[in-house]
Amino acid sequence: DLRRLAVAVECFHKASLVHDDIEDGDAERYGEKTLHAEHGVPVALNVGDLLLGEGYRLISELEVDGEVKGRMLAQAAQGHVTLSRGQGAELCWARRPEPLTSLQVLEIFRRKTAPAFEVALRLGALSAGADEATHAILSEYSESLGIAYQIRDDLEDFTGESDSNDLADLRPSLILAIAHKRAEDGREKDLIASLWRREVRFEDVRDEVLRILSERGVAAKARELRDAYEQQAINALRTLTNPTLKGLLRRVVGKIFGNDLIEGYCGEFEARNAAGGAAGAQPAP
């Protein structure tokens, strides 16, 4: 059962990557040709659909209580709905591209990336019979971790460490959102806005854009936000009663981001979380 569940999660994840690569027009994934680039869009679409069906089939074959199985299927389905809405928001933006604020980009991240973490963790929690308090913690942890992960991806685009490059491909990017906010009125802001609107190619204005990013401290601001969400993911685990699970989830954060944690949040982070209460981070225990 545990193997089936793990493979189901991987099927869902790989299906989302196959479809995402088609929608974004990416030619490479993991240093190799993407499925649609090598075999064509129809084949790639079919393989993605096959993987989704396989994931649900594997869950349906688990030897678990019917109510638990139903909750697993519902959790996976809700994850797909949320992810598709996030991807849909990006696709709608692509039809009429305009500058987005940091908060708008972070909201896309919350819906596009966080569900992958939440589905994986909560399916495992359902299999293990975790209580509702644990599920609530995993949900909060997943949201923060997913956003931090996507910010890290944007930073790797900036440094050239990523397979794809949302900055060069002119997709919603936290780097561009911060740059647009911090750019000086006039030529600088107009240039960043033209990138958002896809009116110029990144390669044609690379040097000027990199100068703006450097002089306006854009990468440092993005790292501050990444660290803030990383810290919130750690803080979400405070009331987790299972010490083994808490330790494993902290190790996940450490594996992805390293061990440097911060104790304070920044403006965009506080604004986004204001509705849910004060956002002052505390050192993790």
Side-chain angles (χ1 to χ4, degrees):
D1 272 356
L2 189 57
R3 288 193 189 96
R4 287 191 186 100
L5 197 57
V7 174
V9 168
E10 190 64 9
C11 284
F12 294 146
H13 179 55
K14 287 299 186 285
S16 73
L17 296 184
V18 170
H19 290 163
D20 192 58
D21 286 341
I22 293 170
E23 292 169 349
D24 289 345
D26 286 333
E28 287 193 356
R29 169 76 65 176
Y30 305 135
E32 303 286 345
K33 284 185 178 180
T34 51
L35 197 61
H36 74 276
E38 186 165 2
H39 297 287
V41 170
V43 170
L45 281 173
N46 195 55
V47 170
D49 291 344
L50 171 69
L51 288 169
L52 289 174
E54 186 69 0
Y56 282 110
R57 183 189 69 79
L58 288 166
I59 293 176
S60 74
E61 293 181 353
L62 297 177
E63 295 179 5
V64 298
D65 179 79
E67 182 180 350
V68 172
K69 188 181 295 185
R71 290 188 64 185
M72 287 179 172
L73 292 168
Q75 183 67 55
Q78 183 57 55
H80 287 132
V81 169
T82 303
L83 185 151
S84 296
R85 284 175 173 162
Q87 183 72 355
E90 182 173 319
L91 292 172
C92 286
W93 167 85
R95 296 181 128 193
R96 293 184 178 179
E98 290 288 341
L100 297 176
T101 67
S102 296
L103 295 180
Q104 289 172 318
V105 173
L106 292 173
E107 178 60 17
I108 291 175
F109 291 173
R110 184 188 69 79
R111 292 193 285 176
K112 273 191 60 175
T113 307
F117 289 96
E118 183 171 6
V119 168
L121 292 173
R122 292 190 64 183
L123 286 181
L126 285 165
S127 177
D131 59 24
E132 293 305 315
T134 298
H135 279 282
I137 291 168
L138 292 177
S139 193
E140 181 183 350
Y141 171 85
S142 298
E143 178 173 312
S144 299
L145 185 63
I147 293 173
Y149 184 91
Q150 193 62 53
I151 295 173
R152 187 199 70 158
D153 192 58
D154 275 9
L155 283 164
E156 289 183 349
D157 288 346
F158 173 65
T159 59
E161 301 173 68
S162 179
D163 284 342
S164 61
N165 192 328
D166 288 352
L167 188 61
D169 295 336
L170 304 181
R171 294 195 285 262
S173 161
L174 185 64
I175 297 291
L176 276 183
I178 296 171
H180 186 257
K181 179 180 178 180
R182 293 193 163 197
E184 287 187 348
D185 290 335
R187 176 178 170 77
E188 283 190 1
K189 195 171 286 289
D190 290 345
L191 175 59
I192 301 300
S194 68
L195 276 174
W196 270 111
R197 297 189 185 102
R198 298 179 169 181
E199 295 168 347
V200 297
R201 295 193 320 143
F202 176 76
E203 293 301 324
D204 294 337
V205 292
R206 173 189 290 271
D207 291 344
E208 180 66 9
V209 171
L210 292 181
R211 180 195 65 77
I212 294 170
L213 298 181
S214 176
E215 292 182 1
R216 306 302 165 212
V218 171
K221 185 66 173 179
R223 292 188 189 98
E224 188 182 349
L225 276 165
R226 178 203 61 196
D227 292 345
Y229 280 101
E230 176 191 341
Q231 180 69 61
Q232 177 156 302
I234 290 289
N235 289 347
L237 304 176
R238 280 197 157 139
T239 57
L240 201 57
T241 56
N242 186 314
T244 302
L245 180 58
K246 179 186 284 189
L248 286 171
L249 293 177
R250 287 178 64 105
R251 284 180 62 190
V252 169
V253 176
K255 182 74 173 177
I256 295 173
F257 304 106
N259 297 318
D260 295 329
L261 300 177
I262 63 170
E263 299 182 12
Y265 294 148
C266 47
E268 283 91 342
F269 183 82
E270 292 177 339
R272 185 187 176 281
N273 291 278
Q282 300 296 327

